[in-house]
Short mmCIF file of all heavy atoms in Angstrom, two decimals:
data_model
loop_
_atom_site.label_atom_id
_atom_site.label_comp_id
_atom_site.label_asym_id
_atom_site.label_seq_id
_atom_site.Cartn_x
_atom_site.Cartn_y
_atom_site.Cartn_z
N VAL A 66 -9.02 27.77 -31.87
CA VAL A 66 -10.30 27.94 -31.18
C VAL A 66 -10.81 26.57 -30.75
O VAL A 66 -10.36 25.53 -31.24
CB VAL A 66 -11.35 28.63 -32.08
CG1 VAL A 66 -10.90 30.04 -32.43
CG2 VAL A 66 -11.59 27.80 -33.33
N LYS A 67 -11.77 26.56 -29.82
CA LYS A 67 -12.39 25.31 -29.38
C LYS A 67 -13.73 25.14 -30.09
O LYS A 67 -14.48 26.10 -30.26
CB LYS A 67 -12.60 25.33 -27.87
CG LYS A 67 -11.30 25.28 -27.08
CD LYS A 67 -11.56 25.17 -25.59
CE LYS A 67 -10.24 25.06 -24.83
NZ LYS A 67 -10.47 24.93 -23.36
N ALA A 68 -13.99 23.90 -30.50
CA ALA A 68 -15.23 23.65 -31.25
C ALA A 68 -15.82 22.32 -30.82
O ALA A 68 -15.12 21.43 -30.33
CB ALA A 68 -14.97 23.67 -32.75
N PHE A 69 -17.12 22.19 -31.02
CA PHE A 69 -17.85 20.96 -30.68
C PHE A 69 -18.35 20.32 -31.98
O PHE A 69 -18.98 20.99 -32.81
CB PHE A 69 -19.02 21.27 -29.76
CG PHE A 69 -19.86 20.07 -29.43
CD1 PHE A 69 -19.43 19.13 -28.49
CD2 PHE A 69 -21.08 19.87 -30.04
CE1 PHE A 69 -20.19 18.03 -28.19
CE2 PHE A 69 -21.87 18.77 -29.75
CZ PHE A 69 -21.42 17.85 -28.81
N GLU A 70 -18.07 19.04 -32.16
CA GLU A 70 -18.51 18.32 -33.36
C GLU A 70 -19.91 17.77 -33.11
O GLU A 70 -20.08 16.75 -32.45
CB GLU A 70 -17.54 17.19 -33.70
CG GLU A 70 -17.85 16.50 -35.02
CD GLU A 70 -16.83 15.44 -35.38
OE1 GLU A 70 -16.11 14.98 -34.47
OE2 GLU A 70 -16.75 15.06 -36.57
N HIS A 71 -20.95 18.45 -33.61
CA HIS A 71 -22.32 18.03 -33.36
C HIS A 71 -22.77 16.95 -34.35
O HIS A 71 -23.68 16.18 -34.07
CB HIS A 71 -23.28 19.23 -33.42
CG HIS A 71 -23.33 19.90 -34.75
ND1 HIS A 71 -24.31 19.66 -35.68
CD2 HIS A 71 -22.50 20.82 -35.31
CE1 HIS A 71 -24.10 20.40 -36.75
NE2 HIS A 71 -23.01 21.11 -36.56
N GLU A 72 -22.15 16.91 -35.53
CA GLU A 72 -22.35 15.84 -36.50
C GLU A 72 -21.01 15.55 -37.15
O GLU A 72 -20.04 16.29 -36.96
CB GLU A 72 -23.38 16.26 -37.58
CG GLU A 72 -24.80 16.41 -37.06
CD GLU A 72 -25.77 16.76 -38.17
OE1 GLU A 72 -25.35 16.71 -39.35
OE2 GLU A 72 -26.92 17.10 -37.87
N LYS A 73 -20.91 14.46 -37.90
CA LYS A 73 -19.65 14.08 -38.53
C LYS A 73 -19.12 15.22 -39.39
O LYS A 73 -19.79 15.68 -40.33
CB LYS A 73 -19.87 12.82 -39.39
CG LYS A 73 -18.63 12.35 -40.11
CD LYS A 73 -17.54 11.88 -39.15
CE LYS A 73 -16.35 11.31 -39.90
NZ LYS A 73 -15.25 10.92 -39.01
N ASP A 74 -17.92 15.74 -39.00
CA ASP A 74 -17.24 16.82 -39.72
C ASP A 74 -18.02 18.14 -39.71
O ASP A 74 -17.76 19.02 -40.52
CB ASP A 74 -16.94 16.42 -41.18
CG ASP A 74 -15.98 15.25 -41.27
OD1 ASP A 74 -15.13 15.12 -40.36
OD2 ASP A 74 -16.08 14.46 -42.23
N GLN A 75 -18.98 18.27 -38.80
CA GLN A 75 -19.74 19.51 -38.64
C GLN A 75 -19.45 20.09 -37.25
O GLN A 75 -19.77 19.47 -36.24
CB GLN A 75 -21.25 19.26 -38.80
CG GLN A 75 -21.63 18.76 -40.18
CD GLN A 75 -21.40 19.80 -41.26
OE1 GLN A 75 -21.65 20.98 -41.08
NE2 GLN A 75 -20.90 19.34 -42.41
N PHE A 76 -18.81 21.28 -37.20
CA PHE A 76 -18.35 21.83 -35.94
C PHE A 76 -19.03 23.16 -35.62
O PHE A 76 -19.37 23.93 -36.51
CB PHE A 76 -16.83 22.06 -35.98
CG PHE A 76 -16.04 20.79 -36.14
CD1 PHE A 76 -15.77 20.28 -37.40
CD2 PHE A 76 -15.57 20.11 -35.03
CE1 PHE A 76 -15.05 19.10 -37.55
CE2 PHE A 76 -14.84 18.95 -35.16
CZ PHE A 76 -14.58 18.44 -36.43
N VAL A 77 -19.20 23.41 -34.32
CA VAL A 77 -19.70 24.69 -33.82
C VAL A 77 -18.64 25.27 -32.90
O VAL A 77 -18.22 24.62 -31.94
CB VAL A 77 -21.03 24.53 -33.05
CG1 VAL A 77 -21.43 25.85 -32.40
CG2 VAL A 77 -22.13 24.06 -33.99
N ILE A 78 -18.17 26.48 -33.20
CA ILE A 78 -17.15 27.12 -32.37
C ILE A 78 -17.78 27.63 -31.08
O ILE A 78 -18.84 28.26 -31.09
CB ILE A 78 -16.48 28.28 -33.14
CG1 ILE A 78 -15.71 27.74 -34.34
CG2 ILE A 78 -15.56 29.08 -32.22
CD1 ILE A 78 -15.07 28.81 -35.20
N VAL A 79 -17.11 27.35 -29.96
CA VAL A 79 -17.57 27.80 -28.64
C VAL A 79 -16.57 28.82 -28.13
O VAL A 79 -15.38 28.52 -27.99
CB VAL A 79 -17.69 26.62 -27.65
CG1 VAL A 79 -18.26 27.12 -26.33
CG2 VAL A 79 -18.57 25.53 -28.23
N GLU A 80 -17.04 30.04 -27.85
CA GLU A 80 -16.16 31.12 -27.40
C GLU A 80 -15.75 30.92 -25.94
O GLU A 80 -16.50 30.32 -25.15
CB GLU A 80 -16.87 32.47 -27.56
CG GLU A 80 -17.27 32.80 -28.98
CD GLU A 80 -16.07 32.97 -29.90
OE1 GLU A 80 -14.96 33.23 -29.36
OE2 GLU A 80 -16.23 32.84 -31.13
N GLU A 83 -18.34 31.90 -23.41
CA GLU A 83 -19.45 30.95 -23.32
C GLU A 83 -19.07 29.75 -22.46
O GLU A 83 -19.89 29.24 -21.68
CB GLU A 83 -19.86 30.50 -24.72
CG GLU A 83 -20.42 31.64 -25.57
CD GLU A 83 -20.63 31.25 -27.02
OE1 GLU A 83 -19.81 30.47 -27.55
OE2 GLU A 83 -21.61 31.71 -27.63
N ILE A 84 -17.83 29.30 -22.58
CA ILE A 84 -17.36 28.20 -21.74
C ILE A 84 -17.30 28.64 -20.29
O ILE A 84 -17.72 27.91 -19.37
CB ILE A 84 -15.98 27.72 -22.22
CG1 ILE A 84 -16.08 27.16 -23.64
CG2 ILE A 84 -15.41 26.68 -21.26
CD1 ILE A 84 -14.74 26.77 -24.23
#
Side-chain angles (χ1 to χ4, degrees):
V66 296
K67 292 185 177 181
F69 177 77
E70 187 176 19
H71 63 98
E72 292 183 10
K73 179 65 175 177
D74 297 329
Q75 297 294 320
F76 296 87
V77 173
I78 295 177
V79 184
E80 300 295 339
E83 295 171 324
I84 297 175

